[in-house]
mmCIF file of all heavy atoms in Angstrom:
data_model
loop_
_atom_site.group_PDB
_atom_site.id
_atom_site.type_symbol
_atom_site.label_atom_id
_atom_site.label_comp_id
_atom_site.label_asym_id
_atom_site.label_seq_id
_atom_site.Cartn_x
_atom_site.Cartn_y
_atom_site.Cartn_z
ATOM 1 N N ASN A 7 -1.020 0.568 12.995
ATOM 2 C CA ASN A 7 -0.604 1.911 13.410
ATOM 3 C C ASN A 7 -1.532 2.625 14.391
ATOM 4 O O ASN A 7 -1.076 3.488 15.139
ATOM 5 C CB ASN A 7 -0.437 2.799 12.169
ATOM 6 C CG ASN A 7 0.790 2.439 11.363
ATOM 7 O OD1 ASN A 7 1.910 2.548 11.833
ATOM 8 N ND2 ASN A 7 0.583 1.993 10.132
ATOM 9 N N ILE A 8 -2.820 2.296 14.372
ATOM 10 C CA ILE A 8 -3.769 3.070 15.180
ATOM 11 C C ILE A 8 -3.434 3.018 16.671
ATOM 12 O O ILE A 8 -3.404 4.039 17.366
ATOM 13 C CB ILE A 8 -5.210 2.562 14.945
ATOM 14 C CG1 ILE A 8 -5.688 2.956 13.543
ATOM 15 C CG2 ILE A 8 -6.159 3.123 15.998
ATOM 16 C CD1 ILE A 8 -5.825 4.444 13.329
ATOM 17 N N ALA A 9 -3.175 1.825 17.181
ATOM 18 C CA ALA A 9 -2.943 1.670 18.621
ATOM 19 C C ALA A 9 -1.487 1.876 19.015
ATOM 20 O O ALA A 9 -1.151 1.804 20.204
ATOM 21 C CB ALA A 9 -3.408 0.285 19.067
ATOM 22 N N ARG A 10 -0.646 2.147 18.065
ATOM 23 C CA ARG A 10 0.788 2.223 18.349
ATOM 24 C C ARG A 10 1.158 3.302 19.378
ATOM 25 O O ARG A 10 1.937 3.023 20.297
ATOM 26 C CB ARG A 10 1.551 2.449 17.039
ATOM 27 C CG ARG A 10 3.055 2.422 17.206
ATOM 28 C CD ARG A 10 3.758 2.473 15.864
ATOM 29 N NE ARG A 10 5.194 2.461 16.012
ATOM 30 C CZ ARG A 10 6.044 2.429 15.001
ATOM 31 N NH1 ARG A 10 5.584 2.405 13.756
ATOM 32 N NH2 ARG A 10 7.346 2.422 15.218
ATOM 33 N N PRO A 11 0.637 4.536 19.266
ATOM 34 C CA PRO A 11 1.015 5.554 20.260
ATOM 35 C C PRO A 11 0.660 5.162 21.702
ATOM 36 O O PRO A 11 1.418 5.462 22.637
ATOM 37 C CB PRO A 11 0.224 6.789 19.812
ATOM 38 C CG PRO A 11 -0.011 6.585 18.356
ATOM 39 C CD PRO A 11 -0.206 5.111 18.206
ATOM 40 N N GLN A 12 -0.480 4.495 21.869
ATOM 41 C CA GLN A 12 -0.877 4.083 23.223
ATOM 42 C C GLN A 12 0.114 3.070 23.802
ATOM 43 O O GLN A 12 0.530 3.181 24.963
ATOM 44 C CB GLN A 12 -2.272 3.466 23.183
ATOM 45 C CG GLN A 12 -3.339 4.362 22.574
ATOM 46 C CD GLN A 12 -4.631 3.605 22.336
ATOM 47 O OE1 GLN A 12 -4.911 2.614 22.992
ATOM 48 N NE2 GLN A 12 -5.434 4.072 21.384
ATOM 49 N N ILE A 13 0.473 2.088 22.976
ATOM 50 C CA ILE A 13 1.399 1.055 23.442
ATOM 51 C C ILE A 13 2.792 1.641 23.658
ATOM 52 O O ILE A 13 3.507 1.259 24.595
ATOM 53 C CB ILE A 13 1.449 -0.116 22.438
ATOM 54 C CG1 ILE A 13 0.049 -0.697 22.239
ATOM 55 C CG2 ILE A 13 2.405 -1.200 22.922
ATOM 56 C CD1 ILE A 13 -0.613 -1.184 23.501
ATOM 57 N N GLU A 14 3.174 2.576 22.802
ATOM 58 C CA GLU A 14 4.485 3.210 22.955
ATOM 59 C C GLU A 14 4.603 3.927 24.297
ATOM 60 O O GLU A 14 5.660 3.878 24.939
ATOM 61 C CB GLU A 14 4.725 4.200 21.813
ATOM 62 C CG GLU A 14 5.197 3.556 20.534
ATOM 63 C CD GLU A 14 5.462 4.571 19.443
ATOM 64 O OE1 GLU A 14 4.946 5.701 19.534
ATOM 65 O OE2 GLU A 14 6.188 4.230 18.492
ATOM 66 N N THR A 15 3.540 4.592 24.703
ATOM 67 C CA THR A 15 3.572 5.301 25.988
ATOM 68 C C THR A 15 3.819 4.327 27.141
ATOM 69 O O THR A 15 4.677 4.566 28.009
ATOM 70 C CB THR A 15 2.247 6.057 26.213
ATOM 71 O OG1 THR A 15 2.060 7.000 25.157
ATOM 72 C CG2 THR A 15 2.261 6.783 27.545
ATOM 73 N N LEU A 16 3.083 3.225 27.149
ATOM 74 C CA LEU A 16 3.281 2.212 28.193
ATOM 75 C C LEU A 16 4.680 1.601 28.105
ATOM 76 O O LEU A 16 5.329 1.344 29.126
ATOM 77 C CB LEU A 16 2.218 1.111 28.053
ATOM 78 C CG LEU A 16 0.757 1.548 28.215
ATOM 79 C CD1 LEU A 16 -0.178 0.385 27.884
ATOM 80 C CD2 LEU A 16 0.504 2.054 29.625
ATOM 81 N N TYR A 17 5.121 1.379 26.891
ATOM 82 C CA TYR A 17 6.430 0.772 26.628
ATOM 83 C C TYR A 17 7.560 1.658 27.144
ATOM 84 O O TYR A 17 8.525 1.182 27.752
ATOM 85 C CB TYR A 17 6.547 0.565 25.120
ATOM 86 C CG TYR A 17 7.685 -0.301 24.646
ATOM 87 C CD1 TYR A 17 7.805 -1.628 25.042
ATOM 88 C CD2 TYR A 17 8.618 0.201 23.742
ATOM 89 C CE1 TYR A 17 8.833 -2.426 24.562
ATOM 90 C CE2 TYR A 17 9.643 -0.591 23.249
ATOM 91 C CZ TYR A 17 9.746 -1.907 23.666
ATOM 92 O OH TYR A 17 10.764 -2.697 23.184
ATOM 93 N N GLN A 18 7.434 2.957 26.903
ATOM 94 C CA GLN A 18 8.484 3.899 27.292
ATOM 95 C C GLN A 18 8.476 4.199 28.787
ATOM 96 O O GLN A 18 9.512 4.546 29.364
ATOM 97 C CB GLN A 18 8.332 5.188 26.482
ATOM 98 C CG GLN A 18 8.637 4.999 25.008
ATOM 99 C CD GLN A 18 8.018 6.064 24.124
ATOM 100 O OE1 GLN A 18 7.346 6.974 24.613
ATOM 101 N NE2 GLN A 18 8.231 5.959 22.820
ATOM 102 N N LEU A 19 7.322 4.064 29.411
ATOM 103 C CA LEU A 19 7.257 4.241 30.864
ATOM 104 C C LEU A 19 7.885 3.063 31.607
ATOM 105 O O LEU A 19 8.365 3.209 32.733
ATOM 106 C CB LEU A 19 5.796 4.396 31.308
ATOM 107 C CG LEU A 19 5.118 5.736 31.008
ATOM 108 C CD1 LEU A 19 3.619 5.639 31.277
ATOM 109 C CD2 LEU A 19 5.739 6.856 31.837
#
Side-chain angles (χ1 to χ4, degrees):
N7 288 297
I8 289 295
R10 185 173 179 176
Q12 304 170 25
I13 302 302
E14 279 182 340
T15 300
L16 298 173
Y17 192 60
Q18 292 158 0
L19 286 170

